[in-house]
Amino acid sequence: MSEEDTNKAESTEISSESLLETVSDAEVNSRVSFEEFTDERTLISHDAFGNKQMKIKVLEVSDEIPPVKWKFGDRVKVTKILVTIKHLTTQEVEEGEFDIELIERELAEKRHYTSTNRWIPAGDIKNGYVVGSKHTRLISDASALDYIVF
């Protein structure tokens, strides 16, 4: 075997050995247990025509204690969100950060009502994102004030 073939053989041995090395989950923290796994489709909502997709990430929650925990379960009050809208026809992506608390106050002041329910069940927040079925709860006031067109 030539020297070049020996070097190739050694490099493949090294790379295969490095691939077989095990690293603890605590060090890597990249392994997801079955309970933590979230299907991406549950986090996305679509507009009525199927032209847009929306995903909402929770940026900040209130430290307020939920009323009537025994009736509605464990919930958190969301104050800031990051909304990502993808236009499926053009693949254009828009992002915007919204302070729901301020929008709620603005709508109550301007229109004398608010429709936002910022209390979201803790189980409906997966990996920092809100489940798609709860999106309209969080963006209803922003839509009423035309901050979001979805």
Side-chain angles (χ1 to χ4, degrees):
M1 238 165 42
S2 70
E3 188 176 320
E4 187 177 313
D5 292 336
T6 308
N7 289 340
K8 284 183 182 177
E10 287 176 8
S11 66
T12 54
E13 287 176 17
I14 292 169
S15 63
S16 64
E17 287 175 7
S18 64
L19 291 173
L20 296 175
E21 289 178 6
T22 58
V23 181
S24 72
D25 289 343
E27 290 175 10
V28 174
N29 201 14
S30 65
R31 297 185 186 195
V32 177
S33 69
F34 182 75
E35 293 81 24
E36 294 173 337
F37 174 75
T38 304
D39 188 6
E40 189 75 15
R41 293 175 290 184
T42 62
L43 304 177
I44 296 173
S45 61
H46 299 273
D47 69 336
F49 301 109
N51 297 330
K52 299 176 187 175
Q53 291 180 338
M54 180 171 41
K55 196 171 178 181
I56 297 178
K57 182 172 182 140
V58 177
L59 297 178
E60 189 177 300
V61 294
S62 173
D63 56 355
E64 190 175 332
I65 299 170
V68 205
K69 185 177 178 179
W70 61 270
K71 186 175 183 181
F72 298 111
D74 192 19
R75 300 178 300 158
V76 293
K77 191 173 189 178
V78 178
T79 55
K80 287 187 181 180
I81 58 173
L82 176 69
V83 177
T84 305
I85 296 176
K86 181 178 180 182
H87 300 267
L88 298 176
T89 53
T90 62
Q91 298 301 312
E92 179 186 349
V93 176
E94 298 178 63
E95 279 191 341
E97 186 176 321
F98 294 95
D99 188 335
I100 302 174
E101 192 170 14
L102 289 176
I103 292 172
E104 185 178 32
R105 276 193 244 136
E106 181 182 346
L107 188 66
E109 183 181 300
K110 287 182 176 178
R111 308 236 176 111
H112 305 292
Y113 81 97
T114 182
S115 58
T116 298
N117 183 359
R118 296 186 291 132
W119 288 100
I120 302 292
D124 287 342
I125 299 174
K126 310 279 185 181
N127 301 333
Y129 289 90
V130 178
V131 174
S133 61
K134 304 297 182 199
H135 287 179
T136 52
R137 282 179 146 191
L138 295 174
I139 66 159
S140 58
D141 285 352
S143 291
L145 291 171
D146 293 328
Y147 290 136
I148 297 176
V149 178
F150 187 71

